[in-house]
Amino acid sequence: MQPPPERTAPDAENAPPTGPGPERTLGQGAAGESAPGSTPPAEGSSVPGPRTGTAGAGRVTLRSDLRASWPDGLVALAITAALSALIWARINSRASSTATVMPFMADDPEAFLLYFLSQAFGWSALLWAWITVVLGLLLSGPRPARLPLSGPRLERLHRTTSLNTIGLIAAHALLFAAELFRHDDAGAWYGAAWTAFVETFVPGGYDSGTGRIAIPVGQAALYLAIPLGLLFYIRHRIGPKTWRVLHRFVLVVYVLSVWHTLLYGTNVWYDGWFRTSVWLLQLPIAALFLARLLSPARRSERLPALAAVPGGGKPLWTARAAGRAAAAAVLVALVAILVTGRDGGREEPPADTTSTHNHD
Ligand code: HEM
């Protein structure tokens, strides 16, 4: 996860801004260096028992869940508004590392308002993805006895936070596209709109710096989150077993989201407590995931003693045991990353480069 150097840092005046997007504007010669939308296991994903959704009443449909989504959607919007204010204040005071990576944004913050809004939606999307993954793992793994939410409520919250995660990611990407559109004055509006669409939503369309990897990673998270999250609503057509198997891949969506963030977020560009906190938040996910594998809610997913497995079933047993060992290894690796601080962050350049001319 150590990104290659390329974004510009303090002496970006050498690099005339051509539009938003970390490297797009950077990368020419100077200092610096240079991931869902998880829709995790939808309600009761792997939990046995009836699924009535709205805490007991009626069949769950996409429409009923969309209606039920507004309370946590409003909370997400309120958090996004607070994050926007924070990002705005930090840009204006130049405390944000976005201002170090892209100084031209701090020189004229009003011109990049949509970009800062996009950042705020990115963070609320990641937070909602985190919440919904935690809820999903609580549903499919061991559940603390003292949890204040009943099973059906937990399931419903899991589904609505999943839906809101998709909406928040979409808002994050659309605001980025809007910023690209706004800064493209090279030709006709429809040409600018097309370019913004391609750079934002078409894999390979964004061809500058770290974005060449980070943007497709984010797109993969978004494009996987949509079907994996929504398949729940047609599970009666595809079969609950198929749905359950497919839905497990939402964890991939989450991993892609975190990877995209750590690779491309300019607020976590450099080493520091903020970047460390993002890593720290992955510890409970890794621990819950391991607990879910070791003690799944569904009896059929438990790993029997090897002696009780008939000869033909041994390769499958070995694969499942290896999965559990890999999950434990991820947990250990996370602890090692946190303890050593080797988390792929770039080294922050000196605040005043004029005297040192150190732009490496
Ligand atoms: C079409 C898909 C996506 C596009 C085009 C996209 C675009 C971007 C861009 C351009 C940045 C750099 C902003 C900066 O300067 O910090 C960024 C950062 C970020 N993205 Fe995405 N992204 C996508 C998907 C996602 C997903 C799926 C998530 C998480 C659920 C996410 C969460 C974030 C976060 C948290 C940041 C860090 C913002 C900051 O540093 O303040 N993005 N994204």
Side-chain angles (χ1 to χ4, degrees):
M1 242 192 239
Q2 174 63 56
E6 85 259 271
R7 285 198 199 184
T8 317
D11 72 338
E13 59 267 22
N14 297 337
T18 56
E23 282 76 22
R24 182 56 37 132
T25 30
L26 319 162
Q28 291 92 326
E33 4 329 330
S34 6
S38 354
T39 9
E43 112 178 80
S45 18
S46 9
V47 185
R51 214 154 290 148
T52 49
T54 43
R59 184 166 154 222
V60 175
T61 62
L62 179 56
R63 186 181 292 204
S64 70
D65 271 351
L66 284 172
R67 258 192 251 116
S69 296
W70 69 265
D72 77 86
L74 278 185
V75 175
L77 286 181
I79 289 177
T80 310
L83 287 169
S84 305
L86 184 66
I87 288 172
W88 180 249
R90 284 172 55 83
I91 276 288
N92 277 291
S93 66
R94 290 185 183 259
S96 158
S97 52
T98 302
T100 311
V101 182
M102 299 180 285
F104 57 89
M105 287 200 175
D107 294 342
D108 185 9
E110 278 88 5
F112 294 97
L113 203 59
L114 295 175
Y115 195 84
F116 305 134
L117 274 177
S118 168
Q119 285 184 317
F121 271 99
W123 286 112
S124 51
L126 193 66
L127 179 62
W128 248 240
W130 186 91
I131 292 172
T132 198
V133 168
V134 166
L135 294 173
L137 290 171
L138 286 176
L139 284 164
S140 58
R143 204 175 304 166
R146 286 169 160 264
L147 214 60
L149 288 174
S150 67
R153 282 198 182 281
L154 204 63
E155 289 188 11
R156 190 176 63 176
L157 196 56
H158 174 52
R159 294 197 311 273
T160 60
T161 47
S162 290
L163 291 175
N164 280 319
T165 301
I166 296 174
L168 293 165
I169 301 172
H172 165 64
L174 281 169
L175 282 160
F176 176 62
E179 187 66 274
L180 290 174
F181 174 70
R182 208 163 82 128
H183 279 88
D184 186 341
D185 44 15
W189 70 267
Y190 45 85
W194 176 248
T195 305
F197 169 78
V198 170
E199 293 197 339
T200 306
F201 292 107
V202 178
Y206 193 91
D207 59 2
S208 148
T210 310
R212 271 178 297 199
I213 298 171
I215 296 259
V217 168
Q219 289 162 342
L222 173 61
Y223 299 148
L224 279 173
I226 296 171
L228 291 177
L230 301 186
L231 275 178
F232 171 76
Y233 301 100
I234 55 157
R235 70 197 181 290
H236 51 283
R237 289 206 204 137
I238 59 172
K241 195 164 174 216
T242 309
W243 171 75
R244 245 190 339 262
V245 170
L246 288 175
H247 190 67
R248 276 179 201 157
F249 286 94
V250 291
L251 214 54
V252 174
V253 174
Y254 181 73
V255 171
L256 290 171
S257 299
V258 175
W259 181 19
H260 163 82
T261 302
L262 290 170
L263 197 56
Y264 213 35
T266 43
N267 277 301
V268 285
W269 197 252
Y270 301 112
D271 281 326
W273 70 268
F274 194 25
R275 189 176 175 89
T276 307
S277 310
V278 174
W279 279 102
L280 198 62
L281 276 175
Q282 309 321 316
L283 267 186
I285 301 267
L288 282 173
F289 181 56
L290 183 60
R292 182 253 180 269
L293 290 179
L294 294 178
S295 181
R298 291 178 81 85
R299 208 171 272 278
S300 60
E301 290 177 359
R302 288 182 195 163
L303 196 62
L306 182 58
V309 178
K314 290 214 161 59
L316 181 61
W317 186 95
T318 309
R320 292 176 65 195
R324 283 149 175 81
V330 168
L331 192 58
V332 173
L334 272 177
V335 173
I337 285 168
L338 286 162
V339 171
T340 60
R342 295 174 66 97
D343 62 4
R346 290 87 165 167
E347 205 177 309
E348 188 146 11
D352 175 9
T353 54
T354 53
S355 56
T356 63
H357 295 284
N358 177 5
H359 293 161
D360 299 326

